[in-house]
CSV table of all heavy atoms in Angstrom, one decimal:
chain,number,residue,atom,x,y,z
F,11,ALA,N,0.8,-1.2,0.0
F,11,ALA,CA,0.0,0.0,0.0
F,11,ALA,C,0.9,1.3,0.0
F,11,ALA,O,1.8,1.4,0.8
F,11,ALA,CB,-0.9,0.0,1.2
F,12,ALA,N,0.5,2.2,-0.9
F,12,ALA,CA,1.2,3.5,-0.9
F,12,ALA,C,0.5,4.4,0.0
F,12,ALA,O,-0.7,4.6,0.0
F,12,ALA,CB,1.2,4.0,-2.3
F,13,SER,N,1.3,5.0,1.0
F,13,SER,CA,0.7,5.9,1.9
F,13,SER,C,1.5,7.2,1.8
F,13,SER,O,2.6,7.3,1.3
F,13,SER,CB,0.8,5.4,3.3
F,13,SER,OG,2.2,5.2,3.7
F,14,GLY,N,0.8,8.3,2.3
F,14,GLY,CA,1.4,9.6,2.3
F,14,GLY,C,1.3,10.4,1.0
F,14,GLY,O,2.0,11.4,0.9
F,15,SER,N,0.5,9.9,0.1
F,15,SER,CA,0.4,10.6,-1.2
F,15,SER,C,-1.0,10.5,-1.7
F,15,SER,O,-1.6,9.4,-1.6
F,15,SER,CB,1.4,10.1,-2.2
F,15,SER,OG,1.2,10.8,-3.5
F,16,ILE,N,-1.5,11.5,-2.3
F,16,ILE,CA,-2.9,11.4,-2.9
F,16,ILE,C,-2.7,11.1,-4.4
F,16,ILE,O,-3.7,10.9,-5.0
F,16,ILE,CB,-3.6,12.8,-2.8
F,16,ILE,CG1,-2.9,13.9,-3.5
F,16,ILE,CG2,-3.9,13.1,-1.3
F,16,ILE,CD1,-3.7,15.2,-3.6
F,17,PHE,N,-1.5,11.0,-4.8
F,17,PHE,CA,-1.3,10.7,-6.3
F,17,PHE,C,-1.1,9.2,-6.5
F,17,PHE,O,-0.7,8.5,-5.6
F,17,PHE,CB,0.0,11.5,-6.7
F,17,PHE,CG,-0.2,13.0,-6.6
F,17,PHE,CD1,0.4,13.7,-5.6
F,17,PHE,CD2,-0.9,13.7,-7.5
F,17,PHE,CE1,0.3,15.0,-5.4
F,17,PHE,CE2,-1.0,15.0,-7.4
F,17,PHE,CZ,-0.5,15.7,-6.4
F,18,ARG,N,-1.5,8.8,-7.7
F,18,ARG,CA,-1.5,7.4,-8.0
F,18,ARG,C,-0.1,6.8,-8.2
F,18,ARG,O,0.8,7.4,-8.8
F,18,ARG,CB,-2.3,7.2,-9.3
F,18,ARG,CG,-2.7,5.7,-9.5
F,18,ARG,CD,-3.6,5.6,-10.7
F,18,ARG,NE,-2.9,5.8,-12.0
F,18,ARG,CZ,-3.4,5.7,-13.2
F,18,ARG,NH1,-4.7,5.4,-13.3
F,18,ARG,NH2,-2.7,5.8,-14.3
F,19,LEU,N,0.0,5.6,-7.7
F,19,LEU,CA,1.2,4.8,-7.8
F,19,LEU,C,1.1,4.2,-9.3
F,19,LEU,O,0.2,3.6,-9.7
F,19,LEU,CB,1.2,3.7,-6.8
F,19,LEU,CG,2.4,2.7,-6.9
F,19,LEU,CD1,3.6,3.4,-6.4
F,19,LEU,CD2,2.1,1.5,-6.0
F,20,THR,N,2.2,4.4,-10.0
F,20,THR,CA,2.2,3.9,-11.4
F,20,THR,C,3.4,2.9,-11.6
F,20,THR,O,4.3,2.9,-10.8
F,20,THR,CB,2.4,5.1,-12.4
F,20,THR,OG1,3.7,5.8,-12.1
F,20,THR,CG2,1.3,6.1,-12.3
F,21,ALA,N,3.3,2.2,-12.7
F,21,ALA,CA,4.3,1.2,-13.0
F,21,ALA,C,4.6,0.3,-11.8
F,21,ALA,O,5.8,0.1,-11.5
F,21,ALA,CB,5.6,1.9,-13.6
F,22,PRO,N,3.6,-0.3,-11.2
F,22,PRO,CA,3.9,-1.1,-10.0
F,22,PRO,C,4.6,-2.4,-10.4
F,22,PRO,O,4.4,-2.9,-11.5
F,22,PRO,CB,2.6,-1.4,-9.4
F,22,PRO,CG,1.6,-1.3,-10.6
F,22,PRO,CD,2.2,-0.2,-11.5
F,23,GLY,N,5.5,-2.9,-9.5
F,23,GLY,CA,6.2,-4.1,-9.8
F,23,GLY,C,6.6,-4.8,-8.5
F,23,GLY,O,6.7,-4.2,-7.4
F,24,TRP,N,6.8,-6.1,-8.6
F,24,TRP,CA,7.3,-6.9,-7.5
F,24,TRP,C,8.7,-7.5,-7.9
F,24,TRP,O,8.8,-8.0,-9.0
F,24,TRP,CB,6.4,-8.0,-7.1
F,24,TRP,CG,5.1,-7.6,-6.5
F,24,TRP,CD1,3.9,-7.3,-7.1
F,24,TRP,CD2,4.9,-7.3,-5.1
F,24,TRP,NE1,3.0,-6.9,-6.1
F,24,TRP,CE2,3.6,-6.9,-4.9
F,24,TRP,CE3,5.7,-7.4,-4.0
F,24,TRP,CZ2,3.1,-6.6,-3.6
F,24,TRP,CZ3,5.2,-7.1,-2.7
F,24,TRP,CH2,3.9,-6.7,-2.6
F,25,TYR,N,9.6,-7.4,-6.9
F,25,TYR,CA,11.0,-7.9,-7.1
F,25,TYR,C,11.2,-8.9,-6.0
F,25,TYR,O,10.6,-8.8,-5.0
F,25,TYR,CB,12.0,-6.8,-7.1
F,25,TYR,CG,11.9,-5.9,-8.3
F,25,TYR,CD1,10.9,-4.9,-8.5
F,25,TYR,CD2,12.9,-5.9,-9.3
F,25,TYR,CE1,10.9,-4.1,-9.6
F,25,TYR,CE2,12.9,-5.1,-10.4
F,25,TYR,CZ,11.9,-4.2,-10.5
F,25,TYR,OH,11.8,-3.3,-11.6
F,26,ARG,N,12.3,-9.7,-6.2
F,26,ARG,CA,12.7,-10.5,-5.1
F,26,ARG,C,14.2,-10.7,-5.1
F,26,ARG,O,14.9,-10.5,-6.1
F,26,ARG,CB,12.0,-11.9,-5.1
F,26,ARG,CG,12.4,-12.8,-6.3
F,26,ARG,CD,11.6,-14.0,-6.3
F,26,ARG,NE,12.0,-14.9,-7.4
F,26,ARG,CZ,11.3,-16.0,-7.7
F,26,ARG,NH1,10.2,-16.4,-7.0
F,26,ARG,NH2,11.7,-16.8,-8.7
F,27,GLN,N,14.7,-11.0,-3.9
F,27,GLN,CA,16.2,-11.2,-3.8
F,27,GLN,C,16.4,-12.3,-2.8
F,27,GLN,O,16.0,-12.3,-1.6
F,27,GLN,CB,16.9,-9.9,-3.2
F,27,GLN,CG,18.4,-10.0,-3.2
F,27,GLN,CD,19.1,-8.7,-3.1
F,27,GLN,OE1,18.5,-7.7,-2.6
F,27,GLN,NE2,20.3,-8.6,-3.4
F,28,ALA,N,17.0,-13.4,-3.4
F,28,ALA,CA,17.4,-14.6,-2.6
F,28,ALA,C,18.8,-14.4,-2.0
F,28,ALA,O,19.6,-13.6,-2.6
F,28,ALA,CB,17.3,-15.8,-3.4
F,29,PRO,N,19.2,-15.1,-1.0
F,29,PRO,CA,20.5,-15.0,-0.4
F,29,PRO,C,21.6,-15.3,-1.5
F,29,PRO,O,21.5,-16.3,-2.2
F,29,PRO,CB,20.5,-16.0,0.7
F,29,PRO,CG,19.1,-16.2,1.1
F,29,PRO,CD,18.3,-16.0,-0.2
F,30,GLY,N,22.5,-14.4,-1.6
F,30,GLY,CA,23.6,-14.6,-2.5
F,30,GLY,C,23.3,-14.3,-4.0
F,30,GLY,O,24.1,-14.5,-4.9
F,31,LYS,N,22.1,-13.8,-4.2
F,31,LYS,CA,21.6,-13.5,-5.6
F,31,LYS,C,21.3,-12.1,-5.8
F,31,LYS,O,21.0,-11.4,-4.8
F,31,LYS,CB,20.5,-14.4,-6.0
F,31,LYS,CG,20.8,-15.9,-6.1
F,31,LYS,CD,19.6,-16.7,-6.6
F,31,LYS,CE,20.0,-18.2,-6.8
F,31,LYS,NZ,18.9,-18.9,-7.3
F,32,GLU,N,21.2,-11.6,-7.0
F,32,GLU,CA,20.8,-10.2,-7.3
F,32,GLU,C,19.3,-10.1,-7.2
F,32,GLU,O,18.6,-11.1,-7.4
F,32,GLU,CB,21.3,-9.8,-8.7
F,32,GLU,CG,22.8,-9.7,-8.7
F,32,GLU,CD,23.3,-9.1,-10.1
F,32,GLU,OE1,22.5,-8.9,-11.0
F,32,GLU,OE2,24.5,-8.9,-10.2
F,33,ARG,N,18.9,-8.9,-7.0
F,33,ARG,CA,17.4,-8.6,-7.0
F,33,ARG,C,16.9,-8.8,-8.4
F,33,ARG,O,17.5,-8.3,-9.4
F,33,ARG,CB,17.1,-7.2,-6.5
F,33,ARG,CG,15.7,-6.9,-6.2
F,33,ARG,CD,15.5,-5.6,-5.6
F,33,ARG,NE,16.1,-5.5,-4.3
F,33,ARG,CZ,16.0,-4.5,-3.4
F,33,ARG,NH1,15.2,-3.5,-3.7
F,33,ARG,NH2,16.6,-4.5,-2.3
F,34,GLU,N,15.8,-9.5,-8.6
F,34,GLU,CA,15.2,-9.7,-9.9
F,34,GLU,C,13.7,-9.3,-10.0
F,34,GLU,O,13.0,-9.4,-8.9
F,34,GLU,CB,15.3,-11.2,-10.3
F,34,GLU,CG,14.6,-12.1,-9.4
F,34,GLU,CD,14.6,-13.6,-9.9
F,34,GLU,OE1,15.1,-13.9,-11.0
F,34,GLU,OE2,14.1,-14.5,-9.1
F,35,LEU,N,13.3,-8.9,-11.1
F,35,LEU,CA,11.9,-8.6,-11.4
F,35,LEU,C,11.1,-9.9,-11.4
F,35,LEU,O,11.4,-10.8,-12.1
F,35,LEU,CB,11.7,-7.9,-12.7
F,35,LEU,CG,10.3,-7.6,-13.1
F,35,LEU,CD1,9.6,-6.5,-12.1
F,35,LEU,CD2,10.2,-7.0,-14.5
F,36,VAL,N,10.0,-9.9,-10.6
F,36,VAL,CA,9.1,-11.1,-10.6
F,36,VAL,C,7.9,-10.8,-11.4
F,36,VAL,O,7.5,-11.6,-12.2
F,36,VAL,CB,8.7,-11.3,-9.1
F,36,VAL,CG1,7.6,-12.5,-9.1
F,36,VAL,CG2,9.8,-11.7,-8.2
F,37,ALA,N,7.3,-9.6,-11.3
F,37,ALA,CA,6.1,-9.3,-12.0
F,37,ALA,C,5.9,-7.8,-12.0
F,37,ALA,O,6.3,-7.1,-11.1
F,37,ALA,CB,4.8,-9.9,-11.4
F,38,GLY,N,5.3,-7.3,-13.1
F,38,GLY,CA,5.1,-5.8,-13.2
F,38,GLY,C,4.0,-5.5,-14.1
F,38,GLY,O,3.5,-6.3,-14.9
F,39,ILE,N,3.5,-4.2,-13.9
F,39,ILE,CA,2.5,-3.6,-14.7
F,39,ILE,C,3.1,-2.4,-15.3
F,39,ILE,O,3.1,-1.3,-14.7
F,39,ILE,CB,1.2,-3.3,-13.9
F,39,ILE,CG1,0.7,-4.5,-13.2
F,39,ILE,CG2,0.1,-2.7,-14.8
F,39,ILE,CD1,-0.5,-4.3,-12.3
F,40,PRO,N,3.6,-2.5,-16.5
F,40,PRO,CA,4.2,-1.3,-17.2
F,40,PRO,C,3.3,-0.2,-17.4
F,40,PRO,O,2.1,-0.4,-17.4
F,40,PRO,CB,4.7,-1.9,-18.5
F,40,PRO,CG,4.7,-3.4,-18.4
F,40,PRO,CD,3.6,-3.7,-17.4
């Protein structure tokens, strides 16, 4: 949830980072 703003969150995405690995894109809405 985006808080502290009345403006819309755009281009939302989920990333993940496993131990010893780089952060990677899991899913997104361009």
Side-chain angles (χ1 to χ4, degrees):
S13 65
S15 175
I16 62 172
F17 297 101
R18 193 175 75 177
L19 180 71
T20 60
W24 288 95
Y25 291 73
R26 68 186 180 188
Q27 187 166 18
K31 294 187 177 181
E32 293 188 354
R33 191 173 297 189
E34 63 174 353
L35 175 67
V36 175
I39 302 176

